[in-house]
Protein backbone atom coordinates (compact mmCIF):
# COMPACT_ATOMS: atom_id res chain seq x y z
CA UNK A 1 0.00 0.00 0.00
CA UNK A 2 1.06 3.62 -0.50
CA UNK A 3 3.22 4.82 2.39
CA UNK A 4 1.67 8.33 2.23
CA UNK A 5 -1.37 8.69 4.50
CA UNK A 6 -4.38 10.01 2.59
CA UNK A 7 -2.68 9.68 -0.81
CA UNK A 8 -5.27 7.12 -1.91
CA UNK A 9 -8.89 8.22 -1.56
CA UNK A 10 -11.70 6.05 -2.98
CA UNK A 11 -9.16 4.35 -5.25
CA UNK A 12 -7.86 7.71 -6.56
CA UNK A 13 -4.20 8.68 -6.23
CA UNK A 14 -4.33 12.27 -4.99
CA UNK A 15 -0.94 13.87 -4.32
CA UNK A 16 2.08 11.61 -4.76
CA UNK A 17 2.29 9.78 -8.11
CA UNK A 18 2.26 5.99 -7.91
CA UNK A 19 5.02 4.32 -9.89
CA UNK A 20 3.81 2.48 -12.99
CA UNK A 21 5.58 0.43 -15.66
CA UNK A 22 5.41 1.09 -19.38
CA UNK A 23 4.50 -2.40 -20.61
CA UNK A 24 4.23 -1.76 -24.31
CA UNK A 25 4.42 1.16 -26.74
CA UNK A 26 2.62 1.28 -30.08
CA UNK A 27 3.02 3.82 -32.86
CA UNK A 28 -0.34 5.28 -33.87
CA UNK A 29 0.06 8.14 -36.34
CA UNK A 30 2.77 10.75 -36.91
CA UNK A 31 4.01 12.00 -33.47
CA UNK A 32 1.38 9.95 -31.61
CA UNK A 33 2.00 6.81 -29.58
CA UNK A 34 -0.08 4.62 -27.29
CA UNK A 35 1.48 3.55 -23.98
CA UNK A 36 0.17 0.49 -22.12
CA UNK A 37 0.73 0.99 -18.38
CA UNK A 38 0.19 -0.78 -15.08
CA UNK A 39 0.74 0.46 -11.53
CA UNK A 40 3.49 -1.48 -9.75
CA UNK A 41 1.77 -1.70 -6.35
CA UNK A 42 -0.74 -4.51 -6.96
CA UNK A 43 -3.09 -3.42 -4.12
CA UNK A 44 -3.34 0.11 -5.47
CA UNK A 45 -3.65 -1.18 -9.05
CA UNK A 46 -6.58 -3.41 -8.05
CA UNK A 47 -8.34 -0.43 -6.43
CA UNK A 48 -7.65 1.88 -9.38
CA UNK A 49 -11.01 2.36 -11.13
CA UNK A 50 -11.85 5.06 -13.63
CA UNK A 51 -14.91 6.30 -15.47
CA UNK A 52 -15.00 6.90 -19.18
CA UNK A 53 -14.21 10.59 -19.80
CA UNK A 54 -11.92 11.06 -16.81
CA UNK A 55 -8.19 11.87 -17.04
CA UNK A 56 -4.96 11.21 -15.11
CA UNK A 57 -1.86 13.28 -14.36
CA UNK A 58 1.14 11.46 -15.81
CA UNK A 59 4.66 12.04 -14.50
CA UNK A 60 7.72 11.45 -16.62
CA UNK A 61 10.45 11.39 -13.97
CA UNK A 62 13.00 14.13 -14.50
CA UNK A 63 10.78 15.96 -17.01
CA UNK A 64 7.44 16.86 -15.38
CA UNK A 65 3.75 16.02 -15.21
CA UNK A 66 0.87 16.58 -17.65
CA UNK A 67 -2.85 15.83 -17.92
CA UNK A 68 -3.86 13.03 -20.23
CA UNK A 69 -7.24 11.51 -21.14
CA UNK A 70 -8.06 7.87 -20.69
CA UNK A 71 -8.91 6.46 -24.12
CA UNK A 72 -9.12 3.04 -22.48
CA UNK A 73 -12.64 2.36 -21.24
CA UNK A 74 -13.13 0.44 -17.97
CA UNK A 75 -14.44 -2.36 -20.23
CA UNK A 76 -11.13 -2.55 -22.16
CA UNK A 77 -8.63 -5.34 -21.48
CA UNK A 78 -5.65 -3.07 -21.00
CA UNK A 79 -5.10 0.37 -19.48
CA UNK A 80 -3.47 2.81 -21.88
CA UNK A 81 -2.97 6.44 -22.84
CA UNK A 82 -2.37 7.95 -26.28
CA UNK A 83 -0.08 10.97 -26.46
CA UNK A 84 1.15 13.39 -29.10
CA UNK A 85 4.55 15.03 -28.67
CA UNK A 86 4.02 18.75 -28.25
CA UNK A 87 6.54 19.84 -25.62
CA UNK A 88 9.03 18.88 -22.97
CA UNK A 89 7.15 16.21 -21.01
CA UNK A 90 5.37 14.51 -23.89
CA UNK A 91 8.70 14.35 -25.79
CA UNK A 92 10.35 12.76 -22.75
CA UNK A 93 7.50 10.22 -22.61
CA UNK A 94 7.98 9.36 -26.28
CA UNK A 95 11.66 8.67 -25.58
CA UNK A 96 10.80 5.95 -23.02
CA UNK A 97 11.12 2.22 -23.71
CA UNK A 98 9.07 -0.74 -22.46
CA UNK A 99 10.07 -1.48 -18.86
CA UNK A 100 10.68 2.20 -18.01
CA UNK A 101 8.82 3.78 -15.09
CA UNK A 102 6.34 6.68 -15.02
CA UNK A 103 4.08 8.12 -12.29
CA UNK A 104 0.28 8.22 -12.19
CA UNK A 105 -2.14 10.38 -10.17
CA UNK A 106 -5.89 10.23 -10.56
CA UNK A 107 -8.29 9.39 -12.05
CA UNK A 108 -9.77 12.90 -11.95
CA UNK A 109 -12.73 14.74 -13.47
CA UNK A 110 -16.40 14.05 -14.07
CA UNK A 111 -16.70 11.58 -16.98
CA UNK A 112 -19.34 11.13 -19.68
CA UNK A 113 -23.08 11.29 -18.78
CA UNK A 114 -24.14 7.82 -19.96
CA UNK A 115 -27.37 7.69 -17.94
CA UNK A 116 -28.59 10.93 -19.57
CA UNK A 117 -28.00 9.69 -23.12
CA UNK A 118 -29.52 6.20 -22.88
CA UNK A 119 -31.99 5.43 -25.66
CA UNK A 120 -30.59 8.13 -27.98
CA UNK A 121 -28.69 8.26 -31.26
CA UNK A 122 -25.05 9.01 -30.43
CA UNK A 123 -22.80 10.84 -32.89
CA UNK A 124 -19.07 11.27 -32.32
CA UNK A 125 -17.43 13.96 -34.46
CA UNK A 126 -13.66 14.17 -34.14
CA UNK A 127 -10.86 16.01 -35.86
CA UNK A 128 -7.40 14.42 -35.75
CA UNK A 129 -6.37 13.39 -32.24
CA UNK A 130 -9.73 14.65 -30.93
CA UNK A 131 -10.77 11.00 -31.13
CA UNK A 132 -8.47 10.13 -28.17
CA UNK A 133 -10.73 11.44 -25.35
CA UNK A 134 -13.85 10.10 -27.13
CA UNK A 135 -12.57 6.55 -27.57
CA UNK A 136 -13.56 5.29 -24.12
CA UNK A 137 -17.09 6.60 -24.57
CA UNK A 138 -17.41 4.82 -27.92
CA UNK A 139 -16.22 1.55 -26.32
CA UNK A 140 -18.81 1.87 -23.56
CA UNK A 141 -21.68 2.73 -25.91
CA UNK A 142 -20.80 -0.14 -28.25
CA UNK A 143 -20.62 -2.58 -25.31
CA UNK A 144 -24.15 -1.51 -24.39
CA UNK A 145 -25.32 -1.04 -27.97
CA UNK A 146 -28.85 -2.24 -27.15
CA UNK A 147 -29.27 0.78 -24.84
CA UNK A 148 -28.69 3.19 -27.74
CA UNK A 149 -30.07 3.88 -31.21
CA UNK A 150 -27.70 4.72 -34.08
CA UNK A 151 -24.02 5.07 -33.12
CA UNK A 152 -21.88 6.99 -35.62
CA UNK A 153 -18.25 8.09 -35.69
CA UNK A 154 -17.35 10.87 -38.12
CA UNK A 155 -13.59 11.35 -38.23
CA UNK A 156 -11.60 13.88 -40.21
CA UNK A 157 -7.83 14.17 -40.55
CA UNK A 158 -5.31 15.90 -42.76
CA UNK A 159 -4.46 12.75 -44.70
CA UNK A 160 -5.36 9.05 -44.47
CA UNK A 161 -2.13 8.48 -42.49
CA UNK A 162 -3.49 10.81 -39.79
CA UNK A 163 -6.69 8.88 -38.96
CA UNK A 164 -6.52 7.86 -35.29
CA UNK A 165 -7.31 4.28 -34.18
CA UNK A 166 -7.94 3.18 -37.79
CA UNK A 167 -7.60 -0.53 -37.02
CA UNK A 168 -9.88 -0.37 -33.98
CA UNK A 169 -12.53 1.49 -35.97
CA UNK A 170 -12.33 -1.14 -38.71
CA UNK A 171 -12.72 -3.95 -36.13
CA UNK A 172 -15.78 -2.27 -34.63
CA UNK A 173 -17.29 -1.85 -38.08
CA UNK A 174 -16.86 -5.55 -38.74
CA UNK A 175 -17.82 -6.77 -35.28
CA UNK A 176 -20.57 -4.48 -33.95
CA UNK A 177 -23.91 -4.53 -35.74
CA UNK A 178 -25.22 -1.04 -36.39
CA UNK A 179 -21.95 0.82 -35.81
CA UNK A 180 -21.38 3.41 -38.55
CA UNK A 181 -17.98 4.94 -39.23
CA UNK A 182 -17.32 7.67 -41.81
CA UNK A 183 -13.84 8.98 -42.59
CA UNK A 184 -12.69 11.97 -44.55
CA UNK A 185 -9.37 13.65 -45.35
CA UNK A 186 -8.48 17.29 -46.01
CA UNK A 187 -6.05 16.23 -48.72
CA UNK A 188 -6.26 13.01 -50.73
CA UNK A 189 -2.92 11.24 -50.98
CA UNK A 190 -2.07 8.39 -53.33
CA UNK A 191 -4.37 5.40 -52.76
CA UNK A 192 -7.14 7.26 -50.87
CA UNK A 193 -10.50 6.60 -52.51
CA UNK A 194 -12.77 7.85 -49.72
CA UNK A 195 -14.31 11.23 -48.91
CA UNK A 196 -12.33 14.46 -49.24
CA UNK A 197 -13.37 17.56 -47.29
CA UNK A 198 -13.50 18.84 -43.72
CA UNK A 199 -15.26 16.63 -41.18
CA UNK A 200 -18.48 18.70 -41.04
CA UNK A 201 -19.14 17.70 -44.67
CA UNK A 202 -19.79 14.16 -43.37
CA UNK A 203 -22.85 15.28 -41.38
CA UNK A 204 -25.07 15.20 -44.48
CA UNK A 205 -23.24 12.34 -46.18
CA UNK A 206 -23.86 10.18 -43.09
CA UNK A 207 -27.51 11.37 -42.97
CA UNK A 208 -27.18 12.07 -39.26
CA UNK A 209 -30.36 11.95 -37.20
CA UNK A 210 -31.30 15.09 -35.23
CA UNK A 211 -34.35 13.94 -33.26
CA UNK A 212 -33.46 12.08 -30.04
CA UNK A 213 -29.74 12.63 -30.72
CA UNK A 214 -26.66 13.66 -28.77
CA UNK A 215 -23.29 14.57 -30.28
CA UNK A 216 -19.79 14.44 -28.80
CA UNK A 217 -17.43 16.82 -30.58
CA UNK A 218 -13.69 17.06 -30.09
CA UNK A 219 -10.88 18.54 -32.15
CA UNK A 220 -9.01 21.75 -32.94
CA UNK A 221 -10.90 25.04 -32.34
CA UNK A 222 -11.71 25.81 -36.01
CA UNK A 223 -13.11 22.32 -36.56
CA UNK A 224 -14.99 22.42 -33.24
CA UNK A 225 -16.68 25.75 -33.96
CA UNK A 226 -17.64 24.76 -37.51
CA UNK A 227 -19.10 21.40 -36.47
CA UNK A 228 -21.07 22.93 -33.59
CA UNK A 229 -22.45 25.60 -35.92
CA UNK A 230 -23.51 22.98 -38.48
CA UNK A 231 -25.12 20.74 -35.84
CA UNK A 232 -27.10 23.62 -34.37
CA UNK A 233 -28.13 24.82 -37.85
CA UNK A 234 -29.68 21.36 -38.33
CA UNK A 235 -31.60 21.73 -35.06
CA UNK A 236 -29.47 19.97 -32.43
CA UNK A 237 -29.79 21.73 -29.09
CA UNK A 238 -26.66 23.06 -27.31
CA UNK A 239 -27.52 20.91 -24.27
CA UNK A 240 -27.29 17.79 -26.43
CA UNK A 241 -23.76 18.59 -27.65
CA UNK A 242 -20.87 17.52 -25.40
CA UNK A 243 -17.15 18.12 -25.51
CA UNK A 244 -14.11 17.78 -23.29
CA UNK A 245 -12.11 20.90 -22.41
CA UNK A 246 -8.32 20.95 -22.18
CA UNK A 247 -6.72 23.49 -19.87
CA UNK A 248 -3.25 23.53 -18.39
CA UNK A 249 -3.40 21.62 -15.11
CA UNK A 250 -1.25 21.35 -12.01
CA UNK A 251 -2.99 19.77 -9.01
CA UNK A 252 -5.90 17.99 -10.75
CA UNK A 253 -8.00 18.17 -7.58
CA UNK A 254 -9.45 21.69 -7.47
CA UNK A 255 -6.82 23.40 -5.31
CA UNK A 256 -4.42 25.42 -7.50
CA UNK A 257 -6.85 27.24 -9.91
CA UNK A 258 -4.53 26.62 -12.89
CA UNK A 259 -7.42 25.12 -14.87
CA UNK A 260 -9.98 27.82 -13.99
CA UNK A 261 -12.19 28.98 -16.87
CA UNK A 262 -14.70 31.55 -15.68
CA UNK A 263 -16.29 30.08 -12.57
CA UNK A 264 -15.52 26.46 -13.42
CA UNK A 265 -12.49 24.33 -12.61
CA UNK A 266 -11.94 21.96 -15.52
CA UNK A 267 -10.18 19.37 -13.34
CA UNK A 268 -13.15 18.85 -11.01
CA UNK A 269 -16.27 20.19 -12.80
CA UNK A 270 -15.04 18.94 -16.21
CA UNK A 271 -13.43 17.99 -18.45
CA UNK A 272 -16.79 16.96 -20.00
CA UNK A 273 -19.22 19.85 -20.56
CA UNK A 274 -22.31 20.47 -22.67
CA UNK A 275 -21.94 23.18 -25.29
CA UNK A 276 -24.59 25.14 -23.35
CA UNK A 277 -22.19 25.19 -20.38
CA UNK A 278 -19.16 25.98 -22.55
CA UNK A 279 -20.96 29.02 -24.02
CA UNK A 280 -21.43 30.50 -20.56
CA UNK A 281 -17.73 30.19 -19.66
CA UNK A 282 -16.89 33.29 -21.67
CA UNK A 283 -13.75 31.76 -23.16
CA UNK A 284 -13.07 30.12 -26.48
CA UNK A 285 -12.60 26.37 -26.52
C1 LIG B 1 -8.04 16.89 -19.45
C2 LIG B 1 -6.92 16.86 -20.45
C3 LIG B 1 -6.75 15.75 -21.24
C4 LIG B 1 -5.69 15.69 -22.16
N1 LIG B 1 -5.55 14.55 -22.90
C5 LIG B 1 -4.51 14.43 -23.74
C6 LIG B 1 -4.30 13.20 -24.47
O1 LIG B 1 -5.07 12.24 -24.33
N2 LIG B 1 -3.24 13.13 -25.30
C7 LIG B 1 -2.36 14.18 -25.47
O2 LIG B 1 -1.41 14.04 -26.25
N3 LIG B 1 -2.53 15.36 -24.80
C8 LIG B 1 -3.57 15.50 -23.94
N4 LIG B 1 -3.74 16.68 -23.23
C9 LIG B 1 -2.83 17.81 -23.49
C10 LIG B 1 -1.53 17.75 -22.67
O3 LIG B 1 -1.81 17.71 -21.28
C11 LIG B 1 -0.71 19.02 -22.97
O4 LIG B 1 -0.38 19.05 -24.33
C12 LIG B 1 0.56 19.13 -22.11
O5 LIG B 1 0.80 20.49 -21.88
C13 LIG B 1 1.79 18.52 -22.75
O6 LIG B 1 2.92 18.78 -21.93
P1 LIG B 1 4.35 19.11 -22.57
O7 LIG B 1 5.28 19.44 -21.44
O8 LIG B 1 4.78 18.02 -23.48
O9 LIG B 1 4.10 20.35 -23.45
P2 LIG B 1 4.08 21.87 -23.01
O10 LIG B 1 5.47 22.35 -22.80
O11 LIG B 1 3.11 22.04 -21.90
O12 LIG B 1 3.55 22.51 -24.35
C14 LIG B 1 2.24 22.20 -24.84
C15 LIG B 1 1.88 23.18 -25.94
O13 LIG B 1 1.76 24.45 -25.39
C16 LIG B 1 2.67 25.33 -26.02
N5 LIG B 1 3.23 26.17 -24.97
C17 LIG B 1 4.04 25.78 -23.96
N6 LIG B 1 4.35 26.81 -23.18
C18 LIG B 1 3.72 27.89 -23.71
C19 LIG B 1 3.65 29.25 -23.37
N7 LIG B 1 4.30 29.75 -22.32
N8 LIG B 1 2.88 30.06 -24.13
C20 LIG B 1 2.21 29.58 -25.19
N9 LIG B 1 2.25 28.29 -25.57
C21 LIG B 1 3.00 27.47 -24.85
C22 LIG B 1 3.71 24.46 -26.67
O14 LIG B 1 4.29 25.08 -27.79
C23 LIG B 1 2.91 23.27 -27.04
O15 LIG B 1 2.23 23.47 -28.26
C24 LIG B 1 -4.79 16.78 -22.31
C25 LIG B 1 -4.97 17.92 -21.52
C26 LIG B 1 -6.02 17.96 -20.60
C27 LIG B 1 -6.19 19.16 -19.74
S1 LIG C 1 -5.58 21.82 -11.89
FE1 LIG C 1 -5.47 22.71 -9.91
S2 LIG C 1 -7.50 23.49 -9.64
FE2 LIG C 1 -7.62 22.39 -11.50
Amino acid sequence: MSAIAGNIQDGRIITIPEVATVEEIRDEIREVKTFYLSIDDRDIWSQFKWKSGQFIMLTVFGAGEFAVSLPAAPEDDRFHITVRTVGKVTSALHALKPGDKVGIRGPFGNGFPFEEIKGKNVIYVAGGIGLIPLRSSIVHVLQKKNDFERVLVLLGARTAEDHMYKETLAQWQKGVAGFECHLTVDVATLGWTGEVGFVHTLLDKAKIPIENTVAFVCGPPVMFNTVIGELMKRGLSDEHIFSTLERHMKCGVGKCQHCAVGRTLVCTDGPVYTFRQIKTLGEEI
Side-chain angles (χ1 to χ4, degrees):
M1 296 290 285
S2 176
I4 315 297
N7 193 36
I8 311 291
Q9 292 173 18
D10 301 326
R12 291 192 314 156
I13 304 154
I14 304 295
T15 11
I16 312 293
E18 278 296 326
V19 174
T21 300
V22 178
E23 293 179 333
E24 188 186 341
I25 303 170
R26 284 191 201 164
D27 290 324
E28 295 287 352
I29 57 171
R30 215 181 335 230
E31 298 177 348
V32 179
K33 293 182 183 182
T34 290
F35 299 81
Y36 293 84
L37 309 171
S38 71
I39 291 174
D40 288 1
D41 184 313
R42 293 290 115 180
D43 282 343
I44 292 171
W45 188 219
S46 66
Q47 290 174 47
F48 185 84
K49 302 275 183 286
W50 71 98
K51 287 190 289 188
S52 178
Q54 289 188 301
F55 68 95
I56 58 168
M57 297 298 294
L58 189 97
T59 301
V60 182
F61 296 110
E65 187 184 48
F66 70 102
V68 63
S69 320
L70 297 176
E75 293 90 344
D76 269 314
D77 295 340
R78 296 178 70 193
F79 181 77
H80 60 269
I81 56 171
T82 301
V83 176
R84 181 166 69 170
T85 42
V86 291
K88 181 182 166 199
V89 190
T90 47
S91 300
L93 178 70
H94 272 237
L96 296 184
K97 301 273 176 291
D100 285 342
K101 303 293 180 185
V102 292
I104 289 178
R105 292 193 299 121
F108 300 128
N110 56 358
F112 292 112
F114 292 123
E115 278 308 309
E116 275 175 47
I117 66 168
K118 258 190 187 167
K120 297 189 186 297
N121 301 298
V122 187
I123 308 175
Y124 297 93
V125 191
I129 62 166
L131 194 60
I132 298 173
L134 301 182
R135 184 190 178 282
S136 64
S137 170
I138 303 169
V139 172
H140 176 86
V141 165
L142 292 183
Q143 290 265 336
K144 309 255 180 221
K145 178 71 182 62
N146 289 343
D147 289 347
F148 300 92
E149 295 293 325
R150 286 178 68 188
V151 179
L152 300 93
V153 168
L154 313 184
L155 175 63
R158 217 158 54 82
T159 70
E161 286 72 45
D162 301 310
H163 282 135
M164 280 299 309
Y165 302 133
K166 247 185 311 222
E167 285 158 25
T168 309
L169 290 170
Q171 279 168 11
W172 290 339
Q173 259 191 310
K174 267 197 210 145
V176 186
F179 172 64
E180 302 166 53
C181 179
H182 300 263
L183 305 180
T184 185
V185 295
D186 301 348
V187 182
T189 45
L190 199 64
W192 176 255
T193 54
E195 299 292 344
V196 180
F198 295 132
V199 69
H200 68 271
T201 60
L202 293 176
L203 297 174
D204 288 336
K205 288 172 184 155
K207 297 189 172 55
I208 60 152
I210 294 297
E211 281 301 307
N212 193 35
T213 295
V214 292
F216 293 83
V217 183
C218 212
V222 175
M223 168 265 166
F224 179 83
N225 290 322
T226 309
V227 170
I228 300 280
E230 292 293 325
L231 287 171
M232 292 184 65
K233 220 194 286 177
R234 286 164 179 74
L236 201 63
S237 151
D238 54 9
E239 59 182 331
H240 294 143
I241 302 173
F242 297 86
S243 192
T244 70
L245 286 190
E246 284 194 8
R247 282 298 177 276
H248 201 252
M249 291 189 184
K250 290 272 186 208
C251 71
V253 290
K255 290 193 192 304
C256 73
Q257 301 284 312
H258 266 84
C259 65
V261 185
R263 285 193 302 277
T264 189
L265 293 177
V266 177
C267 69
T268 48
D269 304 330
V272 180
Y273 293 90
T274 64
F275 185 57
R276 179 166 293 183
Q277 292 170 316
I278 291 172
K279 281 196 311 193
T280 67
L281 298 178
E283 223 186 88
E284 295 203 346
I285 194 153

